[in-house]
Coordinates of all heavy atoms in Angstrom, one line a residue:
G67 N 0.2 -0.3 -4.3 CA 0.1 0.8 -5.2 C 1.4 1.7 -5.1 O 2.1 1.6 -4.1
N68 N 1.6 2.5 -6.1 CA 2.8 3.4 -6.1 C 2.8 4.3 -4.9 O 3.8 4.5 -4.2 CB 2.9 4.2 -7.4 CG 3.2 3.3 -8.6 OD1 3.8 2.2 -8.4 ND2 2.8 3.7 -9.7
M69 N 1.7 5.0 -4.6 CA 1.6 6.0 -3.6 C 1.7 5.3 -2.2 O 2.4 5.8 -1.3 CB 0.3 6.8 -3.7 CG 0.3 7.9 -4.7 SD 1.7 9.1 -4.6 CE 1.3 9.7 -2.9
G70 N 1.0 4.3 -2.0 CA 1.0 3.6 -0.7 C 2.4 3.1 -0.4 O 2.9 3.2 0.7
L71 N 3.0 2.5 -1.4 CA 4.4 2.0 -1.2 C 5.4 3.1 -0.9 O 6.2 3.0 0.0 CB 4.8 1.2 -2.4 CG 6.2 0.6 -2.4 CD1 6.3 -0.4 -1.2 CD2 6.6 -0.1 -3.7
S72 N 5.2 4.2 -1.6 CA 6.1 5.4 -1.3 C 6.0 5.9 0.1 O 6.9 6.3 0.7 CB 5.9 6.5 -2.4 OG 6.2 6.0 -3.7
V73 N 4.7 6.0 0.5 CA 4.4 6.5 1.9 C 5.0 5.5 2.9 O 5.6 5.9 3.9 CB 2.9 6.7 2.1 CG1 2.6 6.9 3.6 CG2 2.4 7.8 1.3
A74 N 4.8 4.2 2.7 CA 5.4 3.2 3.6 C 6.9 3.3 3.7 O 7.5 3.3 4.8 CB 5.0 1.8 3.2
E75 N 7.6 3.5 2.6 CA 9.0 3.6 2.6 C 9.5 4.9 3.3 O 10.5 4.9 4.0 CB 9.5 3.6 1.1 CG 9.3 2.2 0.4 CD 9.6 2.2 -1.1 OE1 9.6 3.4 -1.7 OE2 9.9 1.2 -1.6
A76 N 8.7 6.0 3.0 CA 9.1 7.2 3.7 C 8.9 7.1 5.2 O 9.7 7.6 6.0 CB 8.2 8.4 3.2
A77 N 7.8 6.4 5.6 CA 7.6 6.2 7.1 C 8.8 5.5 7.7 O 9.2 5.8 8.8 CB 6.3 5.4 7.3
V78 N 9.3 4.4 7.0 CA 10.4 3.7 7.6 C 11.7 4.6 7.6 O 12.4 4.6 8.7 CB 10.7 2.5 6.7 CG1 12.0 1.8 7.1 CG2 9.6 1.4 6.8
R79 N 11.9 5.4 6.6 CA 13.0 6.3 6.6 C 13.0 7.3 7.7 O 14.0 7.7 8.3 CB 13.2 7.0 5.3 CG 13.6 6.1 4.1 CD 14.1 6.9 2.9 NE 13.1 7.7 2.4 CZ 12.2 7.4 1.5 NH1 12.2 6.2 0.9 NH2 11.3 8.3 1.0
R80 N 11.7 7.7 8.1 CA 11.6 8.7 9.1 C 11.6 8.1 10.5 O 11.5 8.8 11.5 CB 10.2 9.4 8.9 CG 10.1 10.3 7.7 CD 10.9 11.5 7.9 NE 10.8 12.4 6.7 CZ 11.4 13.6 6.6 NH1 12.1 14.0 7.6 NH2 11.3 14.3 5.5
G81 N 11.8 6.8 10.6 CA 11.9 6.2 11.9 C 10.6 5.8 12.6 O 10.5 5.5 13.7
L82 N 9.4 5.9 11.8 CA 8.2 5.4 12.3 C 8.1 3.9 12.3 O 8.8 3.2 11.6 CB 7.0 6.0 11.5 CG 7.0 7.5 11.4 CD1 5.8 8.0 10.6 CD2 7.0 8.2 12.7
H83 N 7.2 3.4 13.2 CA 7.1 1.9 13.3 C 6.0 1.5 12.3 O 4.8 1.7 12.5 CB 6.7 1.5 14.7 CG 6.6 0.0 14.9 ND1 7.7 -0.8 15.0 CD2 5.6 -0.8 14.9 CE1 7.4 -2.0 15.1 NE2 6.1 -2.1 15.1
L84 N 6.4 0.8 11.2 CA 5.4 0.4 10.2 C 4.8 -0.9 10.7 O 5.4 -1.9 10.8 CB 6.2 0.2 8.9 CG 5.3 -0.1 7.7 CD1 4.4 1.1 7.4 CD2 6.2 -0.4 6.4
V85 N 3.5 -0.9 10.8 CA 2.7 -2.1 11.2 C 2.8 -3.1 10.0 O 2.5 -2.7 8.9 CB 1.3 -1.7 11.6 CG1 0.4 -3.0 11.9 CG2 1.2 -0.8 12.8
P86 N 3.1 -4.3 10.3 CA 3.3 -5.3 9.2 C 2.1 -5.9 8.5 O 2.1 -7.0 8.2 CB 4.2 -6.3 9.8 CG 3.8 -6.3 11.2 CD 3.5 -4.9 11.6
V87 N 1.0 -5.1 8.4 CA -0.1 -5.5 7.7 C -0.6 -4.4 6.8 O -0.3 -3.2 7.1 CB -1.3 -6.0 8.6 CG1 -0.9 -7.2 9.4 CG2 -1.8 -4.8 9.4
S88 N -1.3 -4.7 5.7 CA -1.9 -3.7 4.8 C -3.1 -4.3 4.1 O -3.3 -5.6 4.2 CB -0.9 -3.2 3.8 OG -1.4 -2.2 3.0
F89 N -3.9 -3.5 3.5 CA -5.1 -4.0 2.8 C -5.1 -3.6 1.3 O -4.6 -2.5 1.0 CB -6.4 -3.5 3.5 CG -6.5 -3.9 4.9 CD1 -6.0 -3.2 5.9 CD2 -7.1 -5.1 5.2 CE1 -6.1 -3.6 7.2 CE2 -7.2 -5.6 6.5 CZ -6.7 -4.8 7.5
S90 N -5.6 -4.4 0.5 CA -5.8 -4.2 -0.9 C -7.3 -4.1 -1.2 O -8.1 -4.6 -0.5 CB -5.1 -5.3 -1.7 OG -5.5 -5.1 -3.1
S91 N -7.6 -3.4 -2.3 CA -9.0 -3.3 -2.7 C -9.4 -4.6 -3.5 O -10.6 -4.7 -3.8 CB -9.2 -2.1 -3.6 OG -8.4 -2.2 -4.8
R92 N -8.5 -5.5 -3.7 CA -8.8 -6.7 -4.4 C -8.6 -7.9 -3.4 O -7.8 -7.8 -2.5 CB -7.9 -6.9 -5.6 CG -8.1 -5.9 -6.7 CD -7.0 -6.1 -7.8 NE -5.7 -5.8 -7.3 CZ -4.6 -6.4 -7.7 NH1 -4.7 -7.4 -8.7 NH2 -3.4 -6.1 -7.2
E93 N -9.4 -9.0 -3.6 CA -9.3 -10.1 -2.7 C -8.0 -10.9 -3.0 O -7.3 -11.3 -2.1 CB -10.5 -11.0 -2.9 CG -11.7 -10.5 -2.2 CD -11.6 -10.4 -0.7 OE1 -10.7 -11.0 -0.1 OE2 -12.5 -9.8 0.0
K94 N -7.7 -11.2 -4.3 CA -6.6 -12.0 -4.6 C -5.4 -11.1 -4.9 O -5.3 -10.4 -5.9 CB -6.9 -12.8 -5.9 CG -8.0 -13.9 -5.6 CD -8.2 -14.7 -6.9 CE -9.3 -15.7 -6.6 NZ -9.6 -16.6 -7.8
V95 N -4.5 -11.1 -3.9 CA -3.3 -10.2 -4.0 C -2.1 -11.0 -3.6 O -2.2 -12.0 -3.0 CB -3.4 -8.9 -3.2 CG1 -4.5 -8.0 -3.7 CG2 -3.7 -9.3 -1.7
K96 N -0.9 -10.4 -3.9 CA 0.3 -11.0 -3.4 C 0.3 -11.0 -1.9 O -0.1 -10.0 -1.3 CB 1.5 -10.2 -3.9 CG 2.9 -10.8 -3.6 CD 4.0 -9.9 -4.2 CE 5.3 -10.5 -3.9 NZ 6.4 -9.6 -4.5
T97 N 0.6 -12.1 -1.2 CA 0.4 -12.2 0.2 C 1.4 -11.3 1.0 O 1.0 -10.8 2.1 CB 0.6 -13.7 0.6 OG1 1.9 -14.1 0.2 CG2 -0.4 -14.6 0.0
T98 N 2.6 -11.1 0.6 CA 3.5 -10.2 1.3 C 4.3 -9.4 0.4 O 4.6 -9.8 -0.8 CB 4.5 -11.1 2.2 OG1 5.2 -11.9 1.4 CG2 3.7 -11.9 3.3
I99 N 4.7 -8.2 0.9 CA 5.7 -7.4 0.2 C 6.7 -6.9 1.2 O 6.4 -6.9 2.4 CB 5.1 -6.2 -0.5 CG1 4.4 -5.2 0.5 CG2 4.1 -6.6 -1.6 CD1 4.0 -3.9 -0.1
Q100 N 7.9 -6.6 0.8 CA 8.9 -6.1 1.8 C 9.1 -4.6 1.6 O 9.3 -4.1 0.5 CB 10.2 -6.8 1.5 CG 11.3 -6.5 2.6 CD 12.5 -7.4 2.5 OE1 12.8 -7.9 1.4 NE2 13.2 -7.7 3.6
V101 N 9.1 -3.9 2.8 CA 9.3 -2.5 2.8 C 10.5 -2.3 3.8 O 10.3 -2.5 5.0 CB 8.1 -1.7 3.3 CG1 8.5 -0.2 3.3 CG2 6.9 -1.9 2.3
G102 N 11.6 -1.9 3.4 CA 12.8 -1.9 4.2 C 13.1 -3.3 4.8 O 13.2 -4.2 4.0
Q103 N 13.1 -3.4 6.1 CA 13.4 -4.7 6.7 C 12.1 -5.4 7.2 O 12.1 -6.4 7.8 CB 14.3 -4.6 7.9 CG 15.7 -4.0 7.5 CD 16.4 -4.9 6.5 OE1 16.5 -6.1 6.7 NE2 17.0 -4.2 5.5
T104 N 10.9 -4.8 6.8 CA 9.6 -5.2 7.3 C 8.9 -6.0 6.2 O 8.7 -5.5 5.1 CB 8.8 -4.1 7.8 OG1 9.5 -3.3 8.8 CG2 7.4 -4.6 8.4
D105 N 8.4 -7.2 6.5 CA 7.5 -7.9 5.6 C 6.1 -7.5 5.9 O 5.6 -7.7 7.0 CB 7.7 -9.4 5.8 CG 9.1 -9.9 5.3 OD1 9.6 -9.3 4.4 OD2 9.6 -10.9 5.9
I106 N 5.4 -7.0 4.9 CA 4.0 -6.5 5.1 C 3.1 -7.6 4.5 O 3.1 -8.0 3.4 CB 3.8 -5.2 4.3 CG1 4.8 -4.2 4.7 CG2 2.4 -4.7 4.6 CD1 4.7 -3.7 6.2
R107 N 2.2 -8.1 5.4 CA 1.2 -9.1 5.0 C 0.0 -8.3 4.4 O -0.6 -7.4 5.0 CB 0.7 -9.9 6.2 CG -0.4 -10.9 5.9 CD 0.1 -12.1 5.0 NE -1.1 -12.9 4.7 CZ -1.5 -13.9 5.5 NH1 -0.9 -14.2 6.7 NH2 -2.5 -14.7 5.1
I108 N -0.4 -8.7 3.2 CA -1.5 -8.0 2.4 C -2.8 -8.8 2.6 O -2.8 -10.0 2.3 CB -1.1 -7.8 1.0 CG1 0.3 -7.2 0.8 CG2 -2.2 -7.0 0.3 CD1 0.4 -5.8 1.4
Y109 N -3.8 -8.2 3.0 CA -5.1 -8.8 3.1 C -6.1 -8.2 2.1 O -6.0 -7.0 1.8 CB -5.7 -8.6 4.6 CG -4.9 -9.4 5.6 CD1 -3.8 -8.8 6.3 CD2 -5.3 -10.6 6.0 CE1 -3.1 -9.4 7.3 CE2 -4.6 -11.3 7.0 CZ -3.5 -10.7 7.6 OH -2.8 -11.4 8.6
G110 N -7.1 -9.0 1.8 CA -8.2 -8.5 0.9 C -9.2 -7.8 1.8 O -9.2 -7.8 3.0
P111 N -10.2 -7.1 1.1 CA -11.1 -6.3 1.8 C -12.0 -7.0 2.8 O -12.5 -6.5 3.8 CB -12.0 -5.6 0.7 CG -11.7 -6.4 -0.5 CD -10.3 -7.0 -0.4
S112 N -12.3 -8.3 2.6 CA -13.2 -9.1 3.5 C -12.6 -9.3 4.9 O -13.3 -9.5 5.8 CB -13.5 -10.4 2.9 OG -12.3 -11.2 2.7
A113 N -11.2 -9.1 5.0 CA -10.6 -9.4 6.3 C -10.3 -8.1 7.0 O -9.8 -8.1 8.1 CB -9.2 -10.1 6.0
R114 N -10.8 -6.9 6.5 CA -10.4 -5.6 7.0 C -10.8 -5.5 8.5 O -10.0 -5.1 9.3 CB -11.1 -4.5 6.3 CG -10.5 -4.3 4.9 CD -11.3 -3.2 4.2 NE -12.7 -3.4 4.1 CZ -13.6 -2.7 3.6 NH1 -13.2 -1.5 3.0 NH2 -14.9 -3.0 3.5
E115 N -12.1 -5.7 8.8 CA -12.5 -5.4 10.2 C -11.9 -6.3 11.2 O -11.5 -5.8 12.3 CB -14.0 -5.5 10.3 CG -14.6 -5.1 11.7 CD -16.1 -4.8 11.7 OE1 -16.7 -4.9 10.6 OE2 -16.6 -4.5 12.8
D116 N -11.7 -7.6 11.0 CA -11.1 -8.5 11.9 C -9.7 -8.1 12.2 O -9.2 -8.1 13.3 CB -11.2 -10.0 11.4 CG -12.6 -10.5 11.5 OD1 -13.4 -10.0 12.3 OD2 -13.0 -11.4 10.7
V117 N -8.9 -7.9 11.1 CA -7.5 -7.6 11.3 C -7.3 -6.2 11.9 O -6.5 -6.0 12.8 CB -6.8 -7.7 9.9 CG1 -5.3 -7.3 10.1 CG2 -6.9 -9.1 9.3
L118 N -8.1 -5.2 11.5 CA -8.0 -3.9 12.1 C -8.3 -3.9 13.5 O -7.7 -3.1 14.3 CB -8.9 -2.9 11.3 CG -8.2 -2.2 10.1 CD1 -9.2 -1.3 9.4 CD2 -7.0 -1.4 10.5
S119 N -9.3 -4.7 13.9 CA -9.6 -4.8 15.4 C -8.4 -5.3 16.2 O -8.1 -4.8 17.3 CB -10.8 -5.7 15.6 OG -12.0 -5.2 15.0
S120 N -7.7 -6.3 15.6 CA -6.6 -6.8 16.3 C -5.4 -5.8 16.3 O -4.7 -5.6 17.3 CB -6.1 -8.1 15.6 OG -7.1 -9.1 15.8
V121 N -5.3 -5.0 15.2 CA -4.2 -4.0 15.1 C -4.5 -2.9 16.2 O -3.6 -2.4 16.9 CB -4.1 -3.4 13.7 CG1 -3.3 -2.2 13.7 CG2 -3.6 -4.5 12.7
A122 N -5.8 -2.5 16.3 CA -6.1 -1.5 17.2 C -5.8 -1.9 18.7 O -5.4 -1.0 19.5 CB -7.6 -1.1 17.1
D123 N -6.0 -3.2 18.9 CA -5.7 -3.7 20.3 C -4.2 -3.8 20.5 O -3.7 -3.4 21.6 CB -6.4 -5.0 20.5 CG -6.0 -5.6 21.8 OD1 -6.5 -5.0 22.8 OD2 -5.4 -6.7 21.9
E124 N -3.5 -4.2 19.5 CA -2.0 -4.4 19.6 C -1.3 -3.1 19.6 O -0.3 -2.9 20.3 CB -1.5 -5.3 18.5 CG -0.1 -5.7 18.6 CD 0.1 -6.8 19.6 OE1 -0.8 -7.4 20.1 OE2 1.3 -7.0 20.0
F125 N -1.8 -2.1 18.8 CA -1.1 -0.8 18.7 C -2.1 0.3 19.0 O -2.7 0.9 18.1 CB -0.6 -0.6 17.2 CG 0.4 -1.7 16.8 CD1 -0.1 -2.8 16.2 CD2 1.7 -1.6 17.1 CE1 0.8 -3.8 15.8 CE2 2.6 -2.5 16.7 CZ 2.2 -3.7 16.0
P126 N -2.4 0.6 20.2 CA -3.4 1.6 20.6 C -3.2 3.0 20.0 O -4.1 3.8 20.0 CB -3.4 1.6 22.1 CG -2.1 1.1 22.5 CD -1.7 0.1 21.4
D127 N -2.0 3.4 19.6 CA -1.7 4.7 19.1 C -1.5 4.7 17.6 O -0.9 5.6 17.0 CB -0.4 5.2 19.7 CG -0.6 5.5 21.2 OD1 -1.6 6.0 21.6 OD2 0.3 5.1 22.0
V128 N -2.0 3.7 16.9 CA -1.7 3.6 15.5 C -2.5 4.7 14.7 O -3.6 5.1 15.1 CB -2.2 2.2 15.0 CG1 -3.7 2.0 15.0 CG2 -1.7 1.9 13.5
I129 N -1.8 5.1 13.7 CA -2.5 6.0 12.7 C -2.5 5.3 11.4 O -1.5 4.8 10.9 CB -1.7 7.4 12.6 CG1 -1.8 8.1 13.9 CG2 -2.2 8.2 11.5 CD1 -1.0 9.4 14.0

Side-chain angles (χ1 to χ4, degrees):
N68 291 335
M69 283 302 302
L71 180 59
S72 295
V73 169
E75 291 172 340
V78 170
R79 290 196 299 270
R80 292 288 181 177
L82 303 182
H83 183 79
L84 188 61
V85 176
V87 298
S88 183
F89 297 92
S90 171
S91 58
R92 296 174 296 149
E93 284 293 348
K94 294 182 179 180
V95 292
K96 185 178 179 180
T97 55
T98 60
I99 63 171
Q100 187 171 27
V101 179
Q103 301 300 313
T104 304
D105 290 328
I106 307 295
R107 175 72 183 273
I108 309 297
Y109 291 89
S112 62
R114 289 178 305 181
E115 184 164 357
D116 288 333
V117 177
L118 271 177
S119 295
S120 292
V121 169
D123 178 64
E124 187 75 12
F125 302 92
D127 295 317
V128 69
I129 292 177

